[in-house]
Amino acid sequence: MNNKVKIILPDGKEKCIEKGTSLRKIAEQISMSLAKNAVAGKVNGKLVDISCAVSEESHIELLTLDSEEGLNVMRHTAAHILAQAVERLYGKGNVQFGIGPVIEHGFYYDMKCQVSINQSDLVKIEKEMQNIIQENIPIRSYELSLEEAQAYFKKKKQPYKVELLESIPANEAITIYEQRDFSDSCRGPHLPSTGYVKAFHLTKLAGAYWRGDSNNEMLQRIYGIAFARKKDLDAHLHFLEEAEKRDHRKLGKQLELFMFSEEAPGMPFYLPNGQIIRQELEQFSREAQLKAGYQEVRTPLLMNQQLWEESGHWDHYHENMYFSEVDHTNFALKPMNCPGHMLMYKQKLRSYRDLPIRLAEFGQVHRHEYSGALNGLLRVRTFCQDDAHIFVREDQIEAEMEKAIHLIDEVYGVFGFSYTVELSTRPENSMGEDAAWQMSEQALANVLERIDLPYQVNEGDGAFYGPKIDFHIKDALGRSHQCATLQLDFQMPEKFDLTYVNADNEKQRPVVIHRAIYGSIDRFFGILIEHFAGAFPLWLAPVQAVILPVSSVHQPYAAQLKDTFKAAGIRIEADCREEKLGLKLREAQMKKIPYIFVIGNEEEEKQTINVRKYGEKQSQSLSIMEVQKILQKEIAEKAIRHV
RNA sequence: GCUUCCAUAGCUCAGCCGGUAGAGCACUUCCAUGGUAAGGAAGGGGUCAGCGGUUCAAGUCCGCUUGGAAGCUCCA
C-alpha cells in the first residue's frame, strides 16, 4: 500500500510526503524559518491549524503573520487569550462568554461578567494576557458531537455558547480549543501556542447587545488591536492619534467653525468662519449644477401631515420626523425634499419635450436620530442636502444617469477625493413590477459599463422604490464615506400621479432620479475638515491671508494692502495688535491661514509683500500685483494645498 | 433608545481619604516698537451642568434630569 501522498504548494511545486504528515512537519521540510514562522495553513483553500495532518493529495499553503489571514488567526487567538485572562481574574463561572471574532485591525470579545469591568481594569486584563503569552501555553483542539458540546457548555454554565451551538447544523462536529485552564468552542484555526501572539493592546470597552439585537441582553464588549510586530502596532496607534488630531469636532472648536448647544441637541450652529466654508461649498455646487442644466428651487420646511401620508413617508419614516400643530392642523418638518419637488412638477402640464426637468434644492431637512447616534457634523438632526430630482422619460434614464455621474466626478475631483461605486439592486420588500426593476437595474449597469467605471454590486441593497448607485469617497487617512447617491424611483411618480404628454398626445408616467452629490453639506463639511486637517484649500479658507506689520509704523501700509486685496475679492485681515511678530505669526499658523504677508520698512519702501505660505518655512518678497495674481489664480482653480 | 464612561473659568485641564476653588492659554490694563511659531508685569473672571438626598460639612459620596463620548449586523 502506498503511504505517500502528493501535495501542491502555492508556487506550483509538487512534493511527496508521508500520509498523515502535519503541516508543521511539511513546513520543516521546506525551510527552518518557515517552520518557525508558520502559524496556520490552508488545505485546499480551507483554513486549518498547523497541526492538521494531510492524508490525501491537496493544495497546501502555509500562513505566517505576514499574511492578512495569518494575522487574523493570531487576532482570533488573542480574543481567546482575552477571555482566558478575564476568566482567570474574575473566576470561572462568573463570566459568560458570547462571541469573540476578528475585526479589522484586531478583535473583540463579548461577555457577561458578574462584576462590571471598567476602563481601568483593561490594564489589569492586558497584564494577565501578557502572562498567558509568556507562559506560552500550547493550544490543542478536539472534536465533539453537537450534543456532547452542548452538554459540555451547559455544565460549564455558558448559556450563550449553548445558544450559539443551536444554530449549527446537527451533523457538523464541534471543535473545542483548549489552552490549559481555558476552553472555547471555535471554528478555528488557532495559533500553535499562546506565545505566538506578538503585539496587542486592549483599546476600549463598550456595551453590545447579544447578537446585535436591542431586545436582547446587553453584554460587555472588550476591543483590542493586534499586529505581527510592535512596529505595526505603534503605526496603528499613531494612525489613531492622527485621526484624533483631525477630529472635526475638535478642529471645529479650535478654528471656530461651528458649535453645538444644549438648546438644540444634534443641530449645528455655524460660526462666521464655518459659514464662509458652507457658503463656498454651496456656491460651487450651485454653479456646477446650473452649468449642467439644473434649475434651483426652494420648498417650505413645514408642510402638512397629509402630504407625508400621501408620499408614504408617514408609513416608512414618521418615527424620525418632527411634528407641530398649528391652527388645528398637523404639520411636519420635512425629512426629505422629494414631495415638495413632486408638487412643483405637478404645477403645470408637462410635455415630453420638457423632459428631463432637473430641480435642485439646497434643502434643509430635519430627521430625529437616536441621541446615541449623533456624532458632530457627521450625524446630526438637521442638515442641508444638495438635493435634486430629475424627471425623465424612460428612454432618458441612461443619458441622465451618465450626466449625473460626470457631475459627481467633477465635484469630487476638486477636493482630491478618489471614490468607489456600488450598484444596489432590488431588496426583499420592494414595491413595483419585476419588469421595471429589471429594466432599471440593467440601465444603471449599462451606464457604468459604458463609461467604464468599476463598480461592486450590492444585491438586495437598493431602496424599496428603486435601484441605486452609491459613491464612497476615500479621505486623506484612507477612511471611506458614503456621500453621493443616484436613485431611480418609480413609486413617487405613481403616488403623486405625475404625468407628461407624449408625442401621441397620451399621458405618460415619468421616472424620477433622486440625486445628491455632497449628500449632506454638513456631513461633507465634517469630512472635509478631517480630510484637510483644517488646512483648507485657499478657495475655502475662511481667512485667505493675514497681513502682519512688523511694527505699528507699518499700519497705514497694512491698511492700504487690506483695502487693495479686499477689493480684489480676497478674504484678508490685518493683525495690527501691538504684539511681536513672532506671536502673530504663531497664531496665524495655528489658525492655518493659507498666506501670511509680513510687511516692514523694506516692503513698504519697495511696495512689496513678504509672502509665507502655510506649512512652509521660507518666504519671498513679491510685488503687490504678483501676489494678488497668485492668490486669484489659486482661488479660481480651486487648487488643493499640499501641506 | 440601550450599556459604560464623562461634565470644574471663554478654552485645555489639575483638585488626594468629604473641610468652603487652582494652573496654563485667552481676556482687560500698563510697560516693551518688536523681522518669520509664545517679550514682561498687574488685574478681572466660577451657582464646580441642573435638581434632590446623605452628612456638622459635598466639586468630591448616592439618586434623578440635561448634554457629551465610545459602542450596539462583522454570526462557535
Side-chain angles (χ1 to χ4, degrees):
Chain A
M1 213 174 91
N2 190 357
N3 58 356
K4 292 267 183 186
V5 64
K6 188 171 78 176
I7 57 165
I8 303 138
L9 297 170
D11 58 5
K13 269 189 203 144
E14 295 183 1
K15 227 173 142 60
C16 252
I17 56 158
E18 297 270 337
K19 244 185 203 173
T21 307
S22 72
L23 291 183
R24 183 184 287 117
K25 286 269 188 295
I26 294 172
E28 279 168 13
Q29 287 170 28
I30 295 170
S31 84
M32 274 321 283
S33 70
L34 185 61
K36 213 176 112 201
N37 294 324
V39 293
K42 271 169 126 180
V43 176
N44 294 327
K46 188 173 177 276
L47 277 168
V48 294
D49 290 320
I50 195 80
S51 59
C52 177
V54 180
S55 53
E56 55 191 66
E57 179 176 329
S58 345
H59 287 266
I60 302 291
E61 198 179 331
L62 288 154
L63 299 173
T64 66
L65 295 182
D66 292 326
S67 71
E68 195 62 22
E69 284 172 313
L71 204 50
N72 282 341
V73 170
M74 184 187 86
R75 286 170 178 155
H76 203 165
T77 299
H80 277 208
I81 294 174
L82 164 61
Q84 184 174 17
V86 171
E87 205 173 55
R88 278 187 183 183
L89 291 169
Y90 297 88
K92 262 191 207 288
N94 289 334
V95 197
Q96 279 80 48
F97 293 103
I99 57 167
V102 169
I103 50 173
E104 200 181 9
H105 305 127
F107 58 93
Y108 67 77
Y109 216 117
D110 284 348
M111 55 190 81
K112 197 182 145 193
C113 195
Q114 241 53 15
V115 276
S116 86
I117 297 168
N118 61 42
Q119 195 68 32
S120 58
D121 295 328
L122 292 188
V123 181
K124 205 168 62 184
I125 297 169
E126 201 172 296
K127 215 168 248 167
E128 191 55 42
M129 288 175 72
Q130 291 292 6
N131 289 342
I132 294 167
I133 291 167
Q134 283 297 309
E135 290 167 31
N136 196 17
I137 305 168
I139 298 171
R140 56 183 209 94
S141 66
Y142 55 91
E143 290 191 348
L144 292 180
S145 71
L146 186 60
E147 296 86 64
E148 286 170 331
Q150 278 179 331
Y152 178 75
F153 283 108
K154 258 182 205 149
K155 202 173 138 211
K156 277 186 56 163
K157 299 208 174 71
Q158 292 292 346
Y160 301 112
K161 291 290 173 192
V162 176
E163 193 183 324
L164 283 170
L165 293 173
E166 278 165 18
S167 56
I168 292 175
N171 54 357
E172 244 176 80
I174 308 299
T175 314
I176 306 289
Y177 277 84
E178 195 176 79
Q179 48 206 58
R180 200 177 298 159
D181 48 313
F182 176 80
S183 65
D184 195 359
S185 62
C186 186
R187 191 177 37 195
H190 277 282
L191 301 177
S193 67
T194 58
Y196 278 80
V197 172
K198 302 298 178 198
F200 80 97
H201 176 58
L202 296 183
T203 48
K204 56 193 168 193
L205 198 60
Y209 296 106
W210 170 233
R211 310 200 115 178
D213 185 341
S214 57
N215 296 316
N216 286 341
E217 220 174 335
M218 174 84 62
L219 305 179
Q220 285 199 297
R221 176 174 295 180
I222 299 176
Y223 281 93
I225 52 177
F227 294 89
R229 284 168 212 86
K230 174 103 180 12
K231 197 181 70 188
D232 298 340
L233 177 71
D234 290 344
H236 187 73
L237 289 172
H238 181 258
F239 165 83
L240 293 177
E241 240 172 69
E242 183 60 26
E244 204 181 311
K245 258 192 261 165
R246 285 169 179 250
D247 189 312
H248 75 282
R249 291 166 299 193
K250 202 171 146 186
L251 286 169
K253 203 180 259 184
Q254 254 171 42
L255 303 175
E256 296 188 40
L257 302 174
F258 59 86
M259 57 171 247
F260 284 92
S261 175
E262 240 179 77
E263 284 76 3
M267 309 198 191
F269 292 62
Y270 289 94
L271 297 166
N273 286 339
Q275 183 60 8
I276 288 171
I277 295 174
R278 279 195 51 123
Q279 287 284 2
E280 286 289 351
L281 289 174
E282 194 176 305
Q283 193 53 29
F284 165 51
S285 165
R286 175 173 287 127
E287 282 163 13
Q289 292 185 158
L290 291 181
K291 261 191 280 170
Y294 288 75
Q295 297 168 290
E296 189 174 332
V297 298
R298 189 173 167 82
T299 61
L301 293 189
L302 207 58
M303 289 177 272
N304 77 24
Q305 189 173 315
Q306 201 186 328
L307 174 75
W308 301 102
E309 285 166 9
E310 272 170 38
S311 70
H313 285 92
W314 175 263
D315 286 342
H316 284 97
Y317 211 72
H318 81 272
E319 291 200 339
N320 289 299
M321 290 170 65
Y322 288 91
F323 296 96
S324 170
E325 198 206 291
V326 185
D327 290 344
H328 310 292
T329 310
N330 286 323
F331 286 86
L333 275 171
K334 63 177 177 183
M336 294 173 198
N337 302 299
C338 351
H341 293 181
M342 299 302 128
L343 296 179
M344 279 188 174
Y345 179 90
K346 285 181 73 156
Q347 170 235 1
K348 62 180 184 182
L349 199 59
R350 307 288 183 174
S351 154
Y352 72 99
R353 298 171 195 273
D354 297 333
L355 302 182
I357 293 170
R358 308 180 188 93
L359 298 183
E361 174 171 8
F362 294 98
Q364 191 71 25
V365 295
H366 289 75
R367 299 178 180 179
H368 183 83
E369 301 285 351
Y370 279 154
S371 57
L374 300 177
N375 180 346
L377 294 181
L378 301 183
R379 187 65 83 93
V380 289
R381 284 181 174 155
T382 180
F383 58 97
C384 182
Q385 283 184 310
D386 62 331
D387 206 0
H389 293 91
I390 310 172
F391 301 84
V392 294
R393 306 189 306 254
E394 276 191 17
D395 63 289
Q396 293 172 321
I397 292 175
E398 292 193 25
E400 271 311 300
M401 289 299 266
E402 189 172 333
K403 282 188 81 163
I405 293 170
H406 284 309
L407 186 60
I408 290 167
D409 183 70
E410 180 192 330
V411 171
Y412 286 176
V414 163
F415 301 98
F417 285 127
S418 62
Y419 57 88
T420 56
V421 177
E422 291 181 7
L423 170 61
S424 298
T425 60
R426 184 170 195 173
E428 291 278 324
N429 307 316
S430 53
M431 303 175 74
E433 286 163 24
D434 287 347
W437 274 91
Q438 263 169 23
M439 181 275 290
S440 52
E441 283 172 11
Q442 192 53 51
L444 297 191
N446 286 347
V447 175
L448 293 171
E449 300 285 347
R450 184 165 57 238
I451 60 177
D452 207 16
L453 195 58
Y455 64 98
Q456 192 194 319
V457 177
N458 275 349
E459 294 290 351
D461 214 28
F464 68 91
Y465 48 75
K468 60 175 184 173
I469 300 176
D470 288 328
F471 292 73
H472 296 251
I473 58 178
K474 205 159 210 197
D475 74 12
L477 289 185
R479 298 167 302 185
S480 154
H481 310 267
Q482 200 241 298
C483 291
T485 180
L486 291 171
Q487 310 184 350
L488 277 185
D489 188 348
F490 317 102
Q491 293 308 313
M492 205 64 85
E494 201 74 41
K495 286 207 167 110
F496 282 86
D497 192 26
L498 303 188
T499 57
Y500 65 88
V501 178
N502 71 9
D504 300 324
N505 202 26
E506 295 161 340
K507 283 199 170 177
Q508 292 253 287
R509 196 71 80 212
V511 176
V512 165
I513 300 171
H514 301 253
R515 186 237 63 179
I517 300 179
Y518 295 139
S520 147
I521 294 185
D522 306 67
R523 193 169 94 96
F524 196 81
F525 182 17
I527 293 167
L528 281 184
I529 293 170
E530 303 197 357
H531 179 61
F532 292 122
F536 295 100
L538 193 62
W539 69 282
L540 286 175
V543 178
Q544 296 169 317
V546 62
I547 304 164
L548 307 184
V550 170
S551 96
S552 54
V553 300
H554 309 112
Q555 283 183 15
Y557 183 47
Q560 178 212 322
L561 283 178
K562 187 175 159 186
D563 289 346
T564 308
F565 279 86
K566 273 237 149 108
I570 285 157
R571 294 187 289 266
I572 191 163
E573 282 175 5
D575 185 351
C576 291
R577 290 174 304 163
E578 301 277 321
E579 293 290 351
K580 293 200 131 179
L581 183 64
L583 178 95
K584 295 199 237 184
L585 193 87
R586 177 182 140 84
E587 289 186 359
Q589 292 278 14
M590 290 204 305
K591 286 187 202 157
K592 302 174 192 266
I593 296 170
Y595 284 96
I596 295 172
F597 297 169
V598 175
I599 51 166
N601 288 335
E602 203 180 310
E603 287 76 18
E604 189 165 354
E605 260 165 47
K606 293 188 191 154
Q607 290 287 292
T608 60
I609 301 168
N610 184 273
V611 181
R612 175 168 161 172
K613 270 182 131 172
Y614 174 77
E616 289 180 8
K617 281 261 184 278
Q618 77 282 18
S619 62
Q620 57 174 337
S621 284
L622 298 166
S623 77
I624 299 171
M625 267 321 278
E626 279 176 306
V627 176
Q628 190 178 312
K629 276 189 188 143
I630 290 171
L631 266 67
Q632 281 174 327
K633 182 162 176 277
E634 194 175 327
I635 291 168
E637 288 174 350
K638 298 192 163 54
I640 295 170
R641 290 152 70 190
H642 295 283
V643 180

